[in-house]
Every structure is written in C-alpha cells, then in structure tokens.
Amino acid sequence: MKWDIILRSNKIFTAFFFIIVLIGCGGDGTGSEEGFLHVKMFDNVFIPPIASTPVGGKVRFVNIGGNPHNAISVDKSWSTEKSYGNIAVPHGAHADVTYPEEGDFPYYCSFHASSDGKVGMVGHILSGNVILTESQTVKKDVVSQWTGKTRKVPSEYPTIQNAVDSAVPGDLILVSEGIFKEDVTVTTPSLILRGVDRNKTILDGEFIRANGIMVLGADAVSVENMTFRNYTLNGVYWTGVKGYHGNYITTYNNGDYGIYAFDSVDGLIENSYASGSPDSGIYIGQCYPCDAIIYNVISENNALGYSGTNSGGNLYILSSIWRNNFLGIGPNSLDRELLPPERETTILYNLVYNNNNMNAPSHKLEFPSIGNGIAILGGIRNRVEKNIVLDHKNYGISVVPNLDERLWLGNNNIVKNNIVFGSGRGDIALGGPVSYGNCFEENIYNYSSPVLLEELQGCDGFRFPYTADLSSTIGLLSLFVQVNMGDFEKVSYKNQPKPSEQNTMPLEVFKRIEPAVGMFEKSRKYIDEADYPLEAKPILDTYLVSSKTYSSPLRPQFPSTLKTILFHILGYLLPIGLYAAWAGTSILDIFFNKDISKTNNIIWIFVILLIPYLGSAYYNLKYSSLSKNVRYMQIYGGILLFLGLLIYSILGIVMGGLPAQ
C-alpha cells in the first residue's frame, strides 16, 4: 500500500493566495463534495475519534494540544512521522495523509496510547463504505420506544458510565441531583440520558476530562435536563449518528464546543443554553442534508454563538437568542471538513444583538469575526429572514467570502424582511471582491455596505452585475494578521462568568420518554410556529428609544487599532483615491493633449472609466503629455504602497503562524 504523507506549513502560499483574492480571482462555490477531513490532536484524545472519508480522501491531523502528538497506524503502514524527520507533529502544525484503499484503519498516538490501538489516545479512519470493524458483531438496532426500564444513578449504579454500559436500546438513564466528575461515552443506540433537575444534575470535567457526554456512532440518543461544565473539549457531542436530541441542556466553560453535532443528521437541539466556548456554543457541521432544527436556545459569551461548517439542507435556526459573542450566527464553508460548501440553512425569527465581546474566549481562527451579528461566510443558497439584529460594531447581516485552502464565495443567498440597526460599518452588507446571485429585500435598516445595496441587488428584477464592498474583506484580513502577530490577548474559557439558573424540564415534558427517532419530522411544527423570542420586543423597544446609530462606510474594522486603520487606509481608501486620481488626471490630460483626435478622446475616456486602473495606467505610461517623473510617480508610487501593505500582510501571517483550527 502506498501512503501519501504531505507535511507543509502552507503559510506563504496561503498569504499569496489571499493577495490573489484581493485582486478579484474567485474560487468554486458551486457545491463541490470535496474537502478534507480535519482530525484534531488534543491532549489525550483525537477529535473525532472515528472519522469517515471517501476512498482517496485526505485527512489532516492537526496538533491542537500542548504536548507532542503523532498518529501511527496499528499495522505500521503509515505514520505522521515518516516524512517529518521521525518526530511528533509540533503544536500548531499538521500532517496530511491520504487513504487510497477502502477499509478500517485504526491508529494511535505513541506518546499516549498502547501500540495495539486499544487503550488511550486512539482513533479510526474509515475509508470508503465501511463501518467500524470492532462494532460489526455487536452493533445494536435502533428502537423507537422506551423499554420501560429506568436505570438510576447513583442509587442503582455508582456512575453514569456504569448505567450506560449496562443499558440496552430504549432504556432511560435517570441521573439524580449531584456533581458527577466523569466523562461518559455512549455506543448503545436509543438511550435517553436525563437529569432530574437541569441546574442540580451537573457533570463536571474539572478541566481535566475531554467530553461530558460523547455519543459515538450510536443513533437516536437523547441527552436532557443536565448541566455540563469545565470539560477540555465539549459539553455534549454526537458524532456519526442518525437521530439526536438535546433538550434542556446547559453547557458552560468548555474548551471547544458547548453542544456539538458532527457528521450527524436528523436532530433537534432545543430549550438549551451554551456559553464560554472558545469555538462555538452550538455547532452542527459536515452534514447534507442535515435534517436538523435548532429552536429556542440561548448562546452567549462564546467566540461564535452558532457555527456550522459545511452543513445545510433542511437545517433551521429558529426563535433563539444570540448575544455577547464575537459573532452571533456564522454558517461557513471550509476545506477542513468534508462536504463543502455550507448551503441551504434557514435563519428565521432570531434575536441577535451586541456580539462585540472582547472578553469571550477564542482560538485564533474565530477572532476576526468579532463585531458581527449574522455572517454568511462563503455559504450558498441560505435564507436569512425576519430576524432582529442590533448593535454590532462591524456588520449586522453580511454575506462575505471565506478563505481556507480555496476561496469560498457567498452566492445566491436571500436576506429579507430583517430589522437591523446600530451597526458600525453597515446594517446589511455584501463583501467583495466577488459574489453573485445574492439578494437583499424589504429589510428595515439605516445603512448598507455598499450603498444602494437593496436597490442594486433586489430579489426581483434586474441586478447590477457588481455590487460588493471590498472593505469588509480588507478588515477581516487586518484582524487575521493582527491576531497571528499576537496583538490581542487570548482569553481563557476557564474563567468565563457562571450563568444564572435556566428553566428545568417541565413536568409534562418530563413524563415523555422516547428515543431520538425521526426528530426532524417530529419537530417540523417549529418551522411553522416560529416567532420572535419573548425578549425580542422589549429589547427592540429599548434600543429604538435609547440607542444611536453610528454606521459609517469610512469607519475602520472593529477593534480599531493602528494596524486596522492602516489596512483600512491603504487597502480600501487608497485604491479609491488612486482610481479617482488616475482617472481624473487621465481624463483631464486627454482634453489638453493635442496629439489625440476627438474620436480617440471619446474612446480613451470610455477605456479609462470602464477598465478601472488598467486603462488609466496604460494611457498615462504610453500617451500622456505629462512629464515622465509625474507619470511614473503617480503610477509606480501607488503600486509601491500596495506592495508595502501586501508584504506586511505576508510577514504578519508567516511570523504569527496560521491558525491550526
């Protein structure tokens, strides 16, 4: 078997690629099924521990942990160390492995697991249409009804894991009040794990355990009425399942995600709360169609309130509150998971406000999203409608490109009937340099970026072929460079504020005991019944009475540092100034240039106006009657300013290091 191990930092390439983006080259946004699988190497665990990839697919192992790690095949046929000087993958670095044959490939970290791949930091790569070898003989069938058996913790079983290990599909695991210092792995389908009191049944990771409850390939598992705190990774985590239900869950101060569904479909997350996560409070990723609903949740004090990478298709985010994060709601396309791009997510009747929280925890990758309400980041065919979006220091609702291995464009998205006020750079925004098919209509707002966005990009009738604001992309780049240069202090997830008590499960709901089978069909009623959260009207009324709008297209990206202002001037204002200077000087010179005929005058004016920059530059360098020094200073001086900015950007990325997440 021939294994292709690719190990490279990719920093300079990515920096230059971003430069190409800035001058207008676009990537594929048409619905490719490609991408690569992203396996994170945390201290003592691979996430996800079981991952599927197509035959010939690429898996990227990234060391997120503070310790050295590697990934070595149990049969020794491949290793992340083979082309890396026979050493571990350093912190923040990655190793790419491709799998040319179908099969189950177990692996382990030689520093933290047994060499047989049975104990410790171990994982499986499933290439092609296979299931986990070890589970083929013990896989249990999904059931749709409660068995009538309740396994009580701790009166009958000392730990939750003991009860789970003893259960059969359809059993209820009922956990009494108390603090349970354990992490639980579920591999039996159709279990219902429930606490007797949401605020008093607490699973505590003590900042040493990875996941509160990890549902590993077990379909139709419900987790209800519990609190999860202080885990180094996730509060509740479903991976590789069909059917999941999170109800009356509280998660806070966990080291990656709060409530996390990956490579999973047919789910419902409702009546839940998530805070203090350095990635996102609630996440649904790598699924299409996802057939999933998020309803009546609160997500605050996270880097991202909601993140959904390469997810979509019957995916609804409804009637929820997203506040005090870096970014409220952020569907996004990335190469680092399968099934790009993100597509066909409906965001409806949400209250999204004040997502400017500089004290929220985060990884490097999330920080540039700060100050935004709803951002479609390289996604396509999404619907953002009837949301209330208030008080964001950058943008209220925006559609922008997203860059990973490739540039993902935000295309064919609908932004309609939203109420958006108090945004620092634009209430509704379309980011450049390239996008197509997006429409903005019947929104209530003060400022758009660029101006006349609804008039030129309405949902009916003619759309102007180019309407986008490059300043949003410039602003994101400036924050990306700054965070990689260490300009912003990283805030820990461990000391985020403890949330107030949340509503526990009502008695009438408590009486219903059922596995998570057919959750999407059962919860379709939420789509028709969706309405604004109860908090929305008083917040909106207070805002309209007391708040001032402060939008301005000249305002640099928040947070406004010297570097941010420099990028805004050189990357955004300077090109506008250069275009005006070049075009104005050229047209003025045409009228005074006696060597050019009147017919050629008219032709040159059209060339200069219709071919920005290039028309003026060619005319000035070849035909202008101005002195050589003036012409050269005008053209080459501006180009040198651009090059200075680009070199500074490259150095910032290379010296700071690209984010590993």
Side-chain angles (χ1 to χ4, degrees):
M1 181 181 296
K2 181 179 179 181
W3 296 94
D4 178 24
I5 310 293
I6 307 168
L7 300 143
R8 53 191 173 89
S9 68
N10 209 20
K11 297 175 183 176
I12 296 177
F13 171 80
T14 302
F16 275 108
F17 187 74
F18 205 103
I19 293 167
I20 294 172
V21 171
L22 294 182
I23 62 174
C25 292
D28 181 15
T30 58
S32 167
E33 296 294 326
E34 298 176 359
F36 58 82
L37 193 65
H38 197 238
V39 176
K40 299 178 182 179
M41 307 161 81
F42 288 91
D43 291 337
N44 303 315
V45 65
F46 293 101
I47 294 294
I50 300 174
S52 299
T53 185
V55 174
K58 179 173 71 174
V59 176
R60 173 164 293 178
F61 294 90
V62 183
N63 186 358
I64 308 296
N67 298 313
H69 296 296
N70 55 26
I72 300 175
S73 172
V74 169
D75 64 6
K76 305 301 186 293
S77 60
W78 58 268
S79 167
T80 56
E81 294 191 335
K82 283 188 176 180
S83 298
Y84 217 1
N86 293 320
I87 61 172
V89 178
H91 171 75
H94 66 259
D96 291 351
V97 183
T98 57
Y99 295 82
E101 297 180 6
E102 188 171 82
D104 171 14
F105 302 102
Y107 63 93
Y108 67 99
C109 173
S110 64
F111 299 99
H112 303 100
S114 60
S115 60
D116 60 3
K118 300 292 185 182
V119 180
M121 186 174 172
V122 300
H124 289 258
I125 299 297
L126 307 180
S127 177
N129 188 26
V130 297
I131 61 174
L132 184 62
T133 304
E134 294 177 346
S135 65
Q136 287 180 353
T137 58
V138 297
K139 188 171 180 63
K140 300 174 182 177
D141 293 331
V142 170
V143 300
S144 58
Q145 300 293 325
W146 176 40
T147 61
K149 175 65 176 178
T150 299
R151 301 179 186 270
K152 297 181 179 180
V153 179
S155 60
E156 297 177 354
Y157 298 87
T159 69
I160 302 171
Q161 189 67 64
N162 290 149
V164 167
D165 292 342
S166 302
V168 299
D171 283 357
L172 169 65
I173 312 298
L174 187 62
V175 186
S176 69
E177 297 178 8
I179 298 176
F180 297 85
K181 298 178 179 180
E182 58 176 308
D183 47 2
V184 179
T185 300
V186 180
T187 56
T188 300
S190 300
L191 297 185
I192 306 101
L193 289 83
R194 177 182 293 177
V196 299
D197 188 298
R198 175 181 182 177
N199 301 297
K200 297 178 181 178
T201 302
I202 301 171
L203 277 71
D204 191 342
E206 300 182 289
F207 302 119
I208 58 175
R209 300 176 185 88
N211 299 285
I213 291 179
M214 179 170 65
V215 183
L216 193 57
D219 298 338
V221 171
S222 293
V223 180
E224 305 169 344
N225 215 37
M226 302 182 192
T227 291
F228 301 85
R229 69 186 187 194
N230 306 338
Y231 286 90
T232 60
L233 294 180
N234 312 296
V236 183
Y237 175 34
W238 292 269
T239 180
V241 307
K242 180 179 181 181
Y244 60 92
H245 187 199
N247 196 14
Y248 290 96
I249 293 172
T250 294
T251 68
Y252 68 94
N253 296 15
N254 298 296
D256 206 18
Y257 301 93
I259 303 172
Y260 182 16
F262 177 76
D263 190 25
S264 298
V265 300
D266 191 18
L268 172 64
I269 299 171
E270 61 176 333
N271 307 313
S272 293
Y273 174 95
S275 74
S277 293
D279 202 301
S280 60
I282 298 175
Y283 177 93
I284 295 177
Q286 193 181 293
C287 52
Y288 183 84
C290 295
D291 294 333
I293 293 175
I294 297 172
Y295 177 77
N296 190 34
V297 304
I298 299 174
S299 186
E300 63 181 353
N301 302 321
N302 308 284
L304 313 175
Y306 166 83
S307 176
T309 300
N310 301 350
S311 57
N314 291 330
L315 175 56
Y316 293 84
I317 303 172
L318 307 172
S319 305
S320 296
I321 298 172
W322 315 87
R323 64 191 180 201
N324 300 323
N325 307 285
F326 279 2
L327 166 66
I329 302 175
N332 59 90
S333 300
L334 292 170
D335 294 282
R336 62 198 61 204
E337 291 183 9
L338 301 177
L339 307 182
E342 182 279 328
R343 48 199 146 142
E344 299 164 25
T345 297
T346 298
I347 303 170
L348 186 66
Y349 284 113
N350 294 276
L351 172 62
V352 186
Y353 68 99
N354 193 31
N355 291 284
N356 310 297
N357 188 355
M358 289 286 290
N359 294 315
S362 79
H363 304 303
K364 284 184 178 181
L365 185 62
E366 288 75 25
F367 189 87
S369 66
I370 193 167
N372 293 280
I374 301 173
I376 305 299
L377 302 163
I380 63 174
R381 299 193 298 273
N382 297 285
R383 175 184 164 208
V384 183
E385 189 169 354
K386 297 180 181 177
N387 302 281
I388 296 175
V389 185
L390 306 172
D391 194 19
H392 294 96
K393 293 187 177 181
N394 285 321
Y395 297 102
I397 302 176
S398 61
V399 178
V400 296
N402 205 30
L403 179 69
D404 195 14
E405 297 286 300
R406 290 171 285 181
L407 174 67
W408 295 99
L409 304 178
N411 298 325
N412 297 309
N413 299 286
I414 298 173
V415 179
K416 188 175 182 180
N417 291 318
N418 300 282
I419 300 172
V420 195
F421 290 124
S423 310
R425 308 198 69 240
D427 294 321
I428 57 173
L430 180 59
V434 179
S435 68
Y436 61 85
N438 299 292
C439 77
F440 297 76
E441 187 172 275
E442 298 180 2
N443 299 287
I444 300 173
Y445 66 99
N446 282 330
Y447 297 94
S448 70
S449 177
V451 297
L452 301 177
L453 181 56
E454 285 200 348
E455 289 75 10
L456 298 177
Q457 296 291 330
C459 296
D460 297 315
F462 174 77
R463 296 182 194 173
F464 193 71
Y466 179 81
T467 304
D469 182 6
L470 189 59
S471 71
S472 60
T473 307
I474 295 290
L476 290 172
L477 176 60
S478 71
L479 295 182
F480 182 77
V481 170
Q482 290 178 77
V483 75
N484 280 282
M485 295 181 73
D487 289 0
F488 301 112
E489 182 179 355
K490 183 178 179 180
V491 178
S492 173
Y493 72 93
K494 296 181 180 180
N495 53 13
Q496 292 296 303
K498 179 181 177 180
S500 60
E501 289 194 351
Q502 304 295 310
N503 293 330
T504 197
M505 182 179 282
L507 181 60
E508 62 271 19
V509 180
F510 201 92
K511 292 178 180 179
R512 296 199 297 267
I513 305 171
E514 55 186 10
V517 175
M519 294 311 302
F520 181 69
E521 289 301 322
K522 290 178 182 178
S523 55
R524 273 185 176 274
K525 62 180 181 180
Y526 291 147
I527 302 172
D528 299 325
E529 298 173 359
D531 202 349
Y532 294 111
L534 294 177
E535 189 176 335
K537 189 177 187 305
I539 290 257
L540 180 60
D541 290 343
T542 301
Y543 179 85
L544 292 176
V545 169
S546 63
S547 295
K548 296 180 180 179
T549 56
Y550 50 90
S551 298
S552 170
L554 299 179
R555 183 186 297 271
Q557 197 89 0
F558 168 81
S560 298
T561 67
L562 180 60
K563 292 188 180 74
T564 306
I565 295 170
L566 178 66
F567 269 79
H568 189 66
I569 292 173
L570 296 183
Y572 179 58
L573 299 180
L574 177 63
I576 297 173
L578 285 177
Y579 174 65
W582 289 8
T585 303
S586 301
I587 292 173
L588 185 63
D589 182 70
I590 286 172
F591 284 105
F592 290 98
N593 192 337
K594 297 179 180 180
D595 296 330
I596 301 180
S597 67
K598 290 184 178 181
T599 302
N600 287 337
N601 282 352
I602 296 173
I603 294 173
W604 269 115
I605 289 172
F606 274 104
V607 169
I608 289 167
L609 292 177
L610 296 178
I611 309 177
Y613 303 104
L614 297 179
S616 299
Y618 184 78
Y619 171 80
N620 273 285
L621 293 175
K622 192 171 182 67
Y623 296 107
S624 176
S625 62
L626 297 173
S627 70
K628 182 182 295 185
N629 290 339
V630 172
R631 287 183 283 146
Y632 285 7
M633 178 59 70
Q634 183 183 27
I635 302 300
Y636 294 123
I639 293 173
L640 287 174
L641 282 174
F642 275 118
L643 290 177
L645 174 64
L646 297 178
I647 292 171
Y648 179 78
S649 304
I650 295 169
L651 291 176
I653 294 173
V654 174
M655 292 173 63
L658 290 172
Q661 283 79 353

